[in-house]
Short mmCIF file of all heavy atoms in Angstrom, two decimals:
data_model
loop_
_atom_site.label_atom_id
_atom_site.label_comp_id
_atom_site.label_asym_id
_atom_site.label_seq_id
_atom_site.Cartn_x
_atom_site.Cartn_y
_atom_site.Cartn_z
N HIS A 248 -17.64 18.00 -9.81
CA HIS A 248 -18.19 19.15 -9.15
C HIS A 248 -18.38 20.31 -10.25
O HIS A 248 -17.57 20.46 -11.18
CB HIS A 248 -17.08 19.85 -8.21
CG HIS A 248 -17.69 20.78 -7.23
ND1 HIS A 248 -17.96 21.96 -7.60
CD2 HIS A 248 -18.00 20.66 -5.82
CE1 HIS A 248 -18.49 22.65 -6.56
NE2 HIS A 248 -18.50 21.88 -5.61
N PRO A 249 -19.55 20.93 -10.24
CA PRO A 249 -19.86 21.93 -11.17
C PRO A 249 -18.75 23.05 -11.35
O PRO A 249 -18.50 23.47 -12.43
CB PRO A 249 -21.18 22.59 -10.66
CG PRO A 249 -21.78 21.45 -9.90
CD PRO A 249 -20.71 20.77 -9.32
N CYS A 286 -23.29 25.99 0.75
CA CYS A 286 -22.35 25.78 -0.35
C CYS A 286 -21.76 27.01 -0.81
O CYS A 286 -22.57 27.87 -1.17
CB CYS A 286 -22.89 24.95 -1.48
SG CYS A 286 -21.69 24.78 -2.83
N PHE A 288 -20.31 27.84 -3.41
CA PHE A 288 -20.46 28.04 -4.78
C PHE A 288 -21.85 28.29 -5.23
O PHE A 288 -22.12 28.52 -6.38
CB PHE A 288 -19.87 26.74 -5.53
CG PHE A 288 -19.77 26.85 -6.96
CD1 PHE A 288 -19.05 27.88 -7.59
CD2 PHE A 288 -20.31 25.88 -7.77
CE1 PHE A 288 -18.99 27.99 -9.02
CE2 PHE A 288 -20.34 25.99 -9.14
CZ PHE A 288 -19.62 27.01 -9.80
N ALA A 289 -22.80 28.19 -4.20
CA ALA A 289 -24.22 28.16 -4.58
C ALA A 289 -24.58 29.51 -5.44
O ALA A 289 -25.50 29.43 -6.39
CB ALA A 289 -25.14 28.13 -3.33
N CYS A 292 -23.68 28.66 -8.96
CA CYS A 292 -23.87 27.36 -9.42
C CYS A 292 -25.19 27.22 -10.17
O CYS A 292 -26.23 27.55 -9.63
CB CYS A 292 -23.88 26.27 -8.43
SG CYS A 292 -24.08 24.74 -8.89
N TYR A 294 -26.85 24.69 -10.81
CA TYR A 294 -27.73 23.68 -10.28
C TYR A 294 -28.14 23.84 -8.83
O TYR A 294 -28.63 22.85 -8.21
CB TYR A 294 -26.91 22.27 -10.47
CG TYR A 294 -26.28 22.09 -11.81
CD1 TYR A 294 -25.00 22.28 -11.92
CD2 TYR A 294 -27.08 21.70 -12.90
CE1 TYR A 294 -24.31 22.19 -13.12
CE2 TYR A 294 -26.48 21.60 -14.09
CZ TYR A 294 -25.01 21.81 -14.19
OH TYR A 294 -24.41 21.68 -15.41
N ALA A 295 -27.88 25.06 -8.19
CA ALA A 295 -28.18 25.15 -6.87
C ALA A 295 -29.62 25.08 -6.49
O ALA A 295 -30.53 25.44 -7.29
CB ALA A 295 -27.61 26.66 -6.42
N CYS A 299 -28.74 23.63 -1.01
CA CYS A 299 -27.35 24.19 -1.17
C CYS A 299 -27.19 25.54 -0.31
O CYS A 299 -26.11 25.82 0.07
CB CYS A 299 -27.05 24.50 -2.67
SG CYS A 299 -27.44 23.01 -3.76
N PRO A 304 -22.02 21.41 2.05
CA PRO A 304 -21.67 19.98 1.52
C PRO A 304 -20.32 19.62 2.19
O PRO A 304 -19.37 20.49 2.15
CB PRO A 304 -21.62 20.04 0.05
CG PRO A 304 -21.42 21.56 -0.39
CD PRO A 304 -21.89 22.31 0.86
N CYS A 317 -20.25 18.17 -2.86
CA CYS A 317 -21.54 18.78 -3.55
C CYS A 317 -22.60 17.76 -3.01
O CYS A 317 -22.59 16.49 -3.21
CB CYS A 317 -21.34 18.67 -5.09
SG CYS A 317 -22.88 19.02 -5.89
N HIS A 318 -23.74 18.45 -2.81
CA HIS A 318 -24.96 17.69 -2.27
C HIS A 318 -25.43 16.56 -3.39
O HIS A 318 -25.97 15.59 -3.10
CB HIS A 318 -26.13 18.51 -1.81
CG HIS A 318 -25.75 19.31 -0.62
ND1 HIS A 318 -25.29 18.84 0.54
CD2 HIS A 318 -25.85 20.69 -0.45
CE1 HIS A 318 -25.19 19.80 1.39
NE2 HIS A 318 -25.43 20.94 0.88
N PHE A 319 -25.22 17.13 -4.67
CA PHE A 319 -25.89 16.38 -5.73
C PHE A 319 -24.81 15.76 -6.59
O PHE A 319 -25.14 15.62 -7.82
CB PHE A 319 -26.79 17.24 -6.48
CG PHE A 319 -27.86 17.82 -5.54
CD1 PHE A 319 -27.68 19.28 -5.31
CD2 PHE A 319 -28.92 17.15 -5.16
CE1 PHE A 319 -28.62 19.93 -4.41
CE2 PHE A 319 -29.85 17.74 -4.25
CZ PHE A 319 -29.67 19.01 -3.90
FE1 SF4 B 2 -23.98 23.50 -6.91
FE2 SF4 B 2 -25.45 22.72 -4.83
FE3 SF4 B 2 -23.45 21.23 -5.64
FE4 SF4 B 2 -23.00 23.50 -4.43
S1 SF4 B 2 -23.86 21.71 -3.46
S2 SF4 B 2 -22.02 22.71 -6.28
S3 SF4 B 2 -24.68 24.75 -5.16
S4 SF4 B 2 -25.35 21.62 -6.78
#
Side-chain angles (χ1 to χ4, degrees):
H248 196 285
C286 174
F288 186 56
C292 180
Y294 314 105
C299 309
C317 168
H318 293 308
F319 306 106

